[in-house]
Amino acid sequence: MRTGSRIGSLLVLVWLVIGAIAAAQRGYFSGGDTSCASAATIAVTILAGPLNYVGVNPQIECELPQPSQ
């Protein structure tokens, strides 16, 4: 059972590394201000992993509520 969990952990790690590479190739890590939408897009791109290379291009739109005055 331990071998199965090691293989599973390795697969998840490789999946996330591929997603991070895809996000870097799209220029998501290169400076600028970070908004809710850009942070969410980076996270979803990393979670999509290798699916980025078969046409998945996740984009997230979000707006944070403004504080009352």
Side-chain angles (χ1 to χ4, degrees), residues 3-45:
T3 303
S5 66
R6 284 186 191 166
I7 292 172
S9 297
L10 181 62
L11 288 175
V12 168
L13 179 64
V14 169
W15 183 277
L16 294 175
V17 167
I18 291 171
I21 291 169
Q25 287 176 339
R26 292 183 177 162
Y28 292 160
F29 298 128
S30 60
D33 64 305
T34 304
S35 66
C36 170
S38 64
T41 298
I42 292 170
V44 172
T45 300

Side-chain angles (χ1 to χ4, degrees), residues 63-69:
E63 292 183 28
L64 296 174
Q66 299 297 320
S68 59
Q69 295 182 1

